[in-house]
PDB file of all heavy atoms in Angstrom:
ATOM      1  N   GLU K   1      12.983 -10.363   6.581  1.00 74.00           N
ATOM      2  CA  GLU K   1      12.481 -11.637   7.108  1.00 74.00           C
ATOM      3  C   GLU K   1      11.694 -12.287   5.912  1.00 74.00           C
ATOM      4  O   GLU K   1      11.001 -11.665   5.128  1.00 74.00           O
ATOM      5  CB  GLU K   1      11.429 -11.417   8.244  1.00 74.00           C
ATOM      6  CG  GLU K   1      12.142 -10.880   9.553  1.00 74.00           C
ATOM      7  CD  GLU K   1      11.217 -10.744  10.687  1.00 74.00           C
ATOM      8  OE1 GLU K   1      10.086 -11.324  10.517  1.00 74.00           O
ATOM      9  OE2 GLU K   1      11.612 -10.221  11.626  1.00 74.00           O
ATOM     10  N   VAL K   2      11.859 -13.636   5.838  1.00 71.00           N
ATOM     11  CA  VAL K   2      11.182 -14.311   4.754  1.00 71.00           C
ATOM     12  C   VAL K   2      10.145 -15.324   5.331  1.00 71.00           C
ATOM     13  O   VAL K   2      10.501 -16.024   6.221  1.00 71.00           O
ATOM     14  CB  VAL K   2      12.205 -15.165   3.913  1.00 71.00           C
ATOM     15  CG1 VAL K   2      11.469 -15.963   2.788  1.00 71.00           C
ATOM     16  CG2 VAL K   2      13.306 -14.311   3.408  1.00 71.00           C
ATOM     17  N   ASN K   3       8.924 -15.190   4.907  1.00 65.00           N
ATOM     18  CA  ASN K   3       7.865 -16.066   5.381  1.00 65.00           C
ATOM     19  C   ASN K   3       7.935 -17.440   4.834  1.00 65.00           C
ATOM     20  O   ASN K   3       8.809 -17.749   3.961  1.00 65.00           O
ATOM     21  CB  ASN K   3       6.458 -15.463   5.292  1.00 65.00           C
ATOM     22  CG  ASN K   3       5.976 -15.364   3.879  1.00 65.00           C
ATOM     23  OD1 ASN K   3       6.630 -15.986   2.904  1.00 65.00           O
ATOM     24  ND2 ASN K   3       4.923 -14.680   3.560  1.00 65.00           N
ATOM     25  N   ASP K   4       6.977 -18.302   5.129  1.00 58.00           N
ATOM     26  CA  ASP K   4       7.094 -19.635   4.705  1.00 58.00           C
ATOM     27  C   ASP K   4       6.328 -19.922   3.340  1.00 58.00           C
ATOM     28  O   ASP K   4       6.083 -21.020   2.938  1.00 58.00           O
ATOM     29  CB  ASP K   4       6.401 -20.554   5.786  1.00 58.00           C
ATOM     30  CG  ASP K   4       4.990 -20.189   6.017  1.00 58.00           C
ATOM     31  OD1 ASP K   4       4.431 -19.298   5.354  1.00 58.00           O
ATOM     32  OD2 ASP K   4       4.309 -20.854   6.906  1.00 58.00           O
ATOM     33  N   GLY K   5       5.967 -18.796   2.673  1.00 54.00           N
ATOM     34  CA  GLY K   5       5.296 -18.871   1.383  1.00 54.00           C
ATOM     35  C   GLY K   5       3.829 -19.056   1.488  1.00 54.00           C
ATOM     36  O   GLY K   5       3.104 -19.305   0.537  1.00 54.00           O
ATOM     37  N   SER K   6       3.233 -18.887   2.712  1.00 51.00           N
ATOM     38  CA  SER K   6       1.805 -19.146   2.893  1.00 51.00           C
ATOM     39  C   SER K   6       0.945 -18.173   2.145  1.00 51.00           C
ATOM     40  O   SER K   6      -0.204 -18.399   1.899  1.00 51.00           O
ATOM     41  CB  SER K   6       1.452 -19.063   4.372  1.00 51.00           C
ATOM     42  OG  SER K   6       1.758 -17.900   4.971  1.00 51.00           O
ATOM     43  N   GLU K   7       1.534 -16.920   1.828  1.00 51.00           N
ATOM     44  CA  GLU K   7       0.738 -15.917   1.056  1.00 51.00           C
ATOM     45  C   GLU K   7       0.547 -16.392  -0.372  1.00 51.00           C
ATOM     46  O   GLU K   7      -0.341 -15.762  -1.051  1.00 51.00           O
ATOM     47  CB  GLU K   7       1.448 -14.640   1.154  1.00 51.00           C
ATOM     48  CG  GLU K   7       1.507 -13.950   2.462  1.00 51.00           C
ATOM     49  CD  GLU K   7       2.088 -12.559   2.345  1.00 51.00           C
ATOM     50  OE1 GLU K   7       1.462 -11.707   1.659  1.00 51.00           O
ATOM     51  OE2 GLU K   7       3.127 -12.326   3.005  1.00 51.00           O
ATOM     52  N   GLY K   8       1.220 -17.375  -0.891  1.00 48.00           N
ATOM     53  CA  GLY K   8       1.095 -17.767  -2.167  1.00 48.00           C
ATOM     54  C   GLY K   8       2.184 -18.691  -2.583  1.00 48.00           C
ATOM     55  O   GLY K   8       3.312 -18.449  -2.286  1.00 48.00           O
ATOM     56  N   GLN K   9       1.934 -19.702  -3.422  1.00 49.00           N
ATOM     57  CA  GLN K   9       2.971 -20.693  -3.713  1.00 49.00           C
ATOM     58  C   GLN K   9       3.515 -20.478  -5.129  1.00 49.00           C
ATOM     59  O   GLN K   9       4.527 -21.031  -5.457  1.00 49.00           O
ATOM     60  CB  GLN K   9       2.365 -22.098  -3.595  1.00 49.00           C
ATOM     61  CG  GLN K   9       1.931 -22.460  -2.161  1.00 49.00           C
ATOM     62  CD  GLN K   9       3.058 -22.340  -1.235  1.00 49.00           C
ATOM     63  OE1 GLN K   9       4.177 -22.742  -1.435  1.00 49.00           O
ATOM     64  NE2 GLN K   9       2.753 -21.834  -0.031  1.00 49.00           N
ATOM     65  N   GLU K  10       2.837 -19.668  -5.956  1.00 54.00           N
ATOM     66  CA  GLU K  10       3.345 -19.514  -7.288  1.00 54.00           C
ATOM     67  C   GLU K  10       4.518 -18.610  -7.402  1.00 54.00           C
ATOM     68  O   GLU K  10       4.758 -17.844  -6.410  1.00 54.00           O
ATOM     69  CB  GLU K  10       2.182 -18.897  -8.106  1.00 54.00           C
ATOM     70  CG  GLU K  10       0.968 -19.896  -8.314  1.00 54.00           C
ATOM     71  CD  GLU K  10      -0.059 -19.275  -9.285  1.00 54.00           C
ATOM     72  OE1 GLU K  10       0.365 -18.559 -10.138  1.00 54.00           O
ATOM     73  OE2 GLU K  10      -1.201 -19.613  -9.092  1.00 54.00           O
ATOM     74  N   SER K  11       5.296 -18.683  -8.484  1.00 52.00           N
ATOM     75  CA  SER K  11       6.541 -17.835  -8.534  1.00 52.00           C
ATOM     76  C   SER K  11       6.155 -16.421  -8.446  1.00 52.00           C
ATOM     77  O   SER K  11       5.286 -15.889  -9.050  1.00 52.00           O
ATOM     78  CB  SER K  11       7.099 -18.134  -9.983  1.00 52.00           C
ATOM     79  OG  SER K  11       8.193 -17.297 -10.118  1.00 52.00           O
ATOM     80  N   GLY K  12       6.901 -15.739  -7.548  1.00 50.00           N
ATOM     81  CA  GLY K  12       6.667 -14.266  -7.330  1.00 50.00           C
ATOM     82  C   GLY K  12       5.681 -13.979  -6.315  1.00 50.00           C
ATOM     83  O   GLY K  12       5.430 -12.834  -5.893  1.00 50.00           O
ATOM     84  N   GLU K  13       4.904 -15.056  -5.838  1.00 57.00           N
ATOM     85  CA  GLU K  13       3.803 -14.827  -4.844  1.00 57.00           C
ATOM     86  C   GLU K  13       4.194 -15.063  -3.490  1.00 57.00           C
ATOM     87  O   GLU K  13       3.512 -14.613  -2.509  1.00 57.00           O
ATOM     88  CB  GLU K  13       2.594 -15.548  -5.271  1.00 57.00           C
ATOM     89  CG  GLU K  13       1.891 -15.071  -6.605  1.00 57.00           C
ATOM     90  CD  GLU K  13       0.553 -15.685  -6.809  1.00 57.00           C
ATOM     91  OE1 GLU K  13       0.131 -16.523  -6.009  1.00 57.00           O
ATOM     92  OE2 GLU K  13      -0.059 -15.321  -7.838  1.00 57.00           O
ATOM     93  N   ALA K  14       5.288 -15.885  -3.302  1.00 52.00           N
ATOM     94  CA  ALA K  14       5.843 -15.975  -1.983  1.00 52.00           C
ATOM     95  C   ALA K  14       6.606 -14.666  -1.581  1.00 52.00           C
ATOM     96  O   ALA K  14       7.011 -13.900  -2.385  1.00 52.00           O
ATOM     97  CB  ALA K  14       6.841 -17.160  -1.873  1.00 52.00           C
ATOM     98  N   LYS K  15       6.621 -14.466  -0.241  1.00 57.00           N
ATOM     99  CA  LYS K  15       7.262 -13.173   0.178  1.00 57.00           C
ATOM    100  C   LYS K  15       8.607 -13.016  -0.369  1.00 57.00           C
ATOM    101  O   LYS K  15       9.406 -13.979  -0.279  1.00 57.00           O
ATOM    102  CB  LYS K  15       7.256 -13.145   1.679  1.00 57.00           C
ATOM    103  CG  LYS K  15       7.641 -11.808   2.293  1.00 57.00           C
ATOM    104  CD  LYS K  15       6.547 -10.772   2.106  1.00 57.00           C
ATOM    105  CE  LYS K  15       6.846  -9.446   2.809  1.00 57.00           C
ATOM    106  NZ  LYS K  15       5.954  -8.407   2.553  1.00 57.00           N
ATOM    107  N   CYS K  16       8.879 -11.903  -0.932  1.00 64.00           N
ATOM    108  CA  CYS K  16      10.189 -11.653  -1.589  1.00 64.00           C
ATOM    109  C   CYS K  16      11.333 -11.641  -0.637  1.00 64.00           C
ATOM    110  O   CYS K  16      11.218 -11.161   0.487  1.00 64.00           O
ATOM    111  CB  CYS K  16      10.128 -10.306  -2.368  1.00 64.00           C
ATOM    112  SG  CYS K  16      11.665  -9.963  -3.322  1.00 64.00           S
ATOM    113  N   LYS K  17      12.521 -12.252  -1.002  1.00 82.00           N
ATOM    114  CA  LYS K  17      13.650 -12.255  -0.146  1.00 82.00           C
ATOM    115  C   LYS K  17      14.444 -10.964  -0.175  1.00 82.00           C
ATOM    116  O   LYS K  17      15.451 -10.728   0.566  1.00 82.00           O
ATOM    117  CB  LYS K  17      14.602 -13.416  -0.595  1.00 82.00           C
ATOM    118  CG  LYS K  17      13.941 -14.798  -0.282  1.00 82.00           C
ATOM    119  CD  LYS K  17      14.876 -15.855  -0.731  1.00 82.00           C
ATOM    120  CE  LYS K  17      14.217 -17.259  -0.623  1.00 82.00           C
ATOM    121  NZ  LYS K  17      15.115 -18.289  -1.048  1.00 82.00           N
ATOM    122  N   LEU K  18      14.178 -10.054  -1.183  1.00 91.00           N
ATOM    123  CA  LEU K  18      14.953  -8.879  -1.293  1.00 91.00           C
ATOM    124  C   LEU K  18      14.342  -7.654  -0.587  1.00 91.00           C
ATOM    125  O   LEU K  18      13.007  -7.544  -0.504  1.00 91.00           O
ATOM    126  CB  LEU K  18      15.055  -8.557  -2.782  1.00 91.00           C
ATOM    127  CG  LEU K  18      15.715  -9.548  -3.657  1.00 91.00           C
ATOM    128  CD1 LEU K  18      15.484  -9.227  -5.163  1.00 91.00           C
ATOM    129  CD2 LEU K  18      17.227  -9.608  -3.457  1.00 91.00           C
ATOM    130  N   GLY K  19      15.118  -6.750  -0.173  1.00 94.00           N
ATOM    131  CA  GLY K  19      14.595  -5.618   0.466  1.00 94.00           C
ATOM    132  C   GLY K  19      13.862  -4.654  -0.539  1.00 94.00           C
ATOM    133  O   GLY K  19      13.025  -3.937  -0.185  1.00 94.00           O
ATOM    134  N   CYS K  20      14.338  -4.742  -1.794  1.00 96.00           N
ATOM    135  CA  CYS K  20      13.770  -3.976  -2.837  1.00 96.00           C
ATOM    136  C   CYS K  20      13.764  -4.717  -4.108  1.00 96.00           C
ATOM    137  O   CYS K  20      14.835  -5.234  -4.595  1.00 96.00           O
ATOM    138  CB  CYS K  20      14.423  -2.548  -3.033  1.00 96.00           C
ATOM    139  SG  CYS K  20      13.748  -1.470  -4.239  1.00 96.00           S
ATOM    140  N   THR K  21      12.735  -4.865  -4.787  1.00 97.00           N
ATOM    141  CA  THR K  21      12.674  -5.545  -6.095  1.00 97.00           C
ATOM    142  C   THR K  21      12.817  -4.521  -7.219  1.00 97.00           C
ATOM    143  O   THR K  21      11.952  -3.622  -7.224  1.00 97.00           O
ATOM    144  CB  THR K  21      11.319  -6.386  -6.236  1.00 97.00           C
ATOM    145  OG1 THR K  21      11.329  -7.367  -5.197  1.00 97.00           O
ATOM    146  CG2 THR K  21      11.291  -6.990  -7.713  1.00 97.00           C
ATOM    147  N   ILE K  22      13.858  -4.596  -8.018  1.00 98.00           N
ATOM    148  CA  ILE K  22      14.092  -3.508  -9.048  1.00 98.00           C
ATOM    149  C   ILE K  22      13.557  -3.991 -10.382  1.00 98.00           C
ATOM    150  O   ILE K  22      13.944  -4.995 -10.923  1.00 98.00           O
ATOM    151  CB  ILE K  22      15.547  -3.176  -9.082  1.00 98.00           C
ATOM    152  CG1 ILE K  22      16.098  -2.640  -7.737  1.00 98.00           C
ATOM    153  CG2 ILE K  22      15.824  -2.188 -10.221  1.00 98.00           C
ATOM    154  CD1 ILE K  22      17.480  -2.351  -7.745  1.00 98.00           C
ATOM    155  N   PHE K  23      12.630  -3.142 -10.915  1.00 98.00           N
ATOM    156  CA  PHE K  23      12.074  -3.417 -12.281  1.00 98.00           C
ATOM    157  C   PHE K  23      12.808  -2.503 -13.245  1.00 98.00           C
ATOM    158  O   PHE K  23      13.008  -1.361 -13.028  1.00 98.00           O
ATOM    159  CB  PHE K  23      10.574  -3.008 -12.219  1.00 98.00           C
ATOM    160  CG  PHE K  23       9.642  -3.902 -11.548  1.00 98.00           C
ATOM    161  CD1 PHE K  23       9.664  -3.922 -10.107  1.00 98.00           C
ATOM    162  CD2 PHE K  23       8.745  -4.711 -12.229  1.00 98.00           C
ATOM    163  CE1 PHE K  23       8.829  -4.735  -9.487  1.00 98.00           C
ATOM    164  CE2 PHE K  23       7.908  -5.495 -11.588  1.00 98.00           C
ATOM    165  CZ  PHE K  23       7.867  -5.460 -10.175  1.00 98.00           C
ATOM    166  N   LEU K  24      13.310  -3.182 -14.337  1.00 98.00           N
ATOM    167  CA  LEU K  24      14.023  -2.459 -15.431  1.00 98.00           C
ATOM    168  C   LEU K  24      13.152  -2.590 -16.718  1.00 98.00           C
ATOM    169  O   LEU K  24      12.847  -3.708 -17.061  1.00 98.00           O
ATOM    170  CB  LEU K  24      15.412  -3.057 -15.668  1.00 98.00           C
ATOM    171  CG  LEU K  24      16.103  -2.499 -16.801  1.00 98.00           C
ATOM    172  CD1 LEU K  24      16.483  -0.943 -16.632  1.00 98.00           C
ATOM    173  CD2 LEU K  24      17.374  -3.285 -17.115  1.00 98.00           C
TER     174      LEU K  24
END
């Protein structure tokens, strides 16, 4: 589920659309 971005508007601060964010 994707929220409306209320947790933060900056890049990376809105709720992530991915089930898992992979850092390389």
Side-chain angles (χ1 to χ4, degrees):
E1 293 184 10
V2 182
N3 69 10
D4 60 3
S6 59
E7 289 187 62
Q9 297 300 318
E10 295 185 28
S11 176
E13 293 190 359
K15 190 68 173 178
C16 183
K17 296 180 182 179
L18 297 169
C20 179
T21 298
I22 298 179
F23 288 73
L24 173 65

